[in-house]
């Protein structure tokens, strides 16, 4: 699984390229595209803070890119934590929405201990916010 990110070209008044990964709430900047990608990679790896976790940034077009990782469960865990934080929910509140009495089962997904299936990921995201639903986007190999 990959997350989508976007670059923002510097204006005449700005010196830096902006880089944003909305799904995980990451925004940083760099002196050029390459530096911006490196800053995004470093930001994600720093937040996850797990030995051996490595992020791969792949340009998709002029101003978009994908983010993947060698440990998908940790990247998905970050996605779930960030979306829950954005929604202002506690672990217990999400667990209740999932009809669970214990936040531990849900917490295992956020901690990256368990990799959810696509169906389960959609269920977890909807428990955080009923409007959250992953969109599957296939890279156009013809272009």
């Amino acid at each position: 699984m990959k997350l989508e990110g976007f670059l923002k070209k510097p204006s005449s008044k700005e010196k830096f390229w902006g880089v944003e990964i909305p799904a995980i709430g990451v925004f940083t900047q760099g002196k050029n595209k390459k530096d911006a990608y490196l800053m995004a990679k470093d930001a994600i790896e720093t937040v996850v803070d797990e030995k051996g976790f490595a992020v791969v940034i792949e340009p998709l077009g002029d101003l978009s890119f994908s983010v993947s990782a060698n440990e998908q469960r940790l990247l998905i865990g970050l996605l779930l934590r960030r979306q829950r934080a954005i929604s202002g929910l506690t672990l217990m509140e999400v667990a209740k929405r999932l009809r669970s009495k214990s936040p531990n089962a849900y917490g295992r997904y956020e901690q990256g201990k368990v990799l959810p299936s696509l169906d389960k990921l959609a269920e977890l995201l909807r428990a955080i916010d009923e409007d959250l639903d992953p969109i599957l986007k296939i890279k156009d190999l013809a272009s």
Side-chain angles (χ1 to χ4, degrees), residues 52-114:
F53 177 74
V55 169
V56 175
I57 305 286
E58 180 184 354
L60 296 175
D62 189 39
L63 297 175
S64 66
F65 59 93
S66 69
V67 177
S68 60
N70 63 335
E71 294 282 350
Q72 284 195 23
R73 61 187 173 77
L74 295 172
L75 187 59
I76 297 294
L78 176 60
L79 167 69
L80 292 169
R81 280 193 312 277
R82 290 297 176 112
Q83 287 300 318
R84 181 176 57 80
I86 289 166
S87 295
L89 298 172
T90 65
L91 282 171
M92 185 60 83
E93 290 168 326
V94 175
K96 284 181 183 178
R97 290 179 178 192
L98 291 166
R99 294 180 177 88
S100 172
K101 294 181 182 181
S102 169
N104 292 340
Y106 170 74
R108 292 175 51 77
Y109 291 108
E110 278 198 10
Q111 294 164 7
K113 292 182 178 177
V114 178

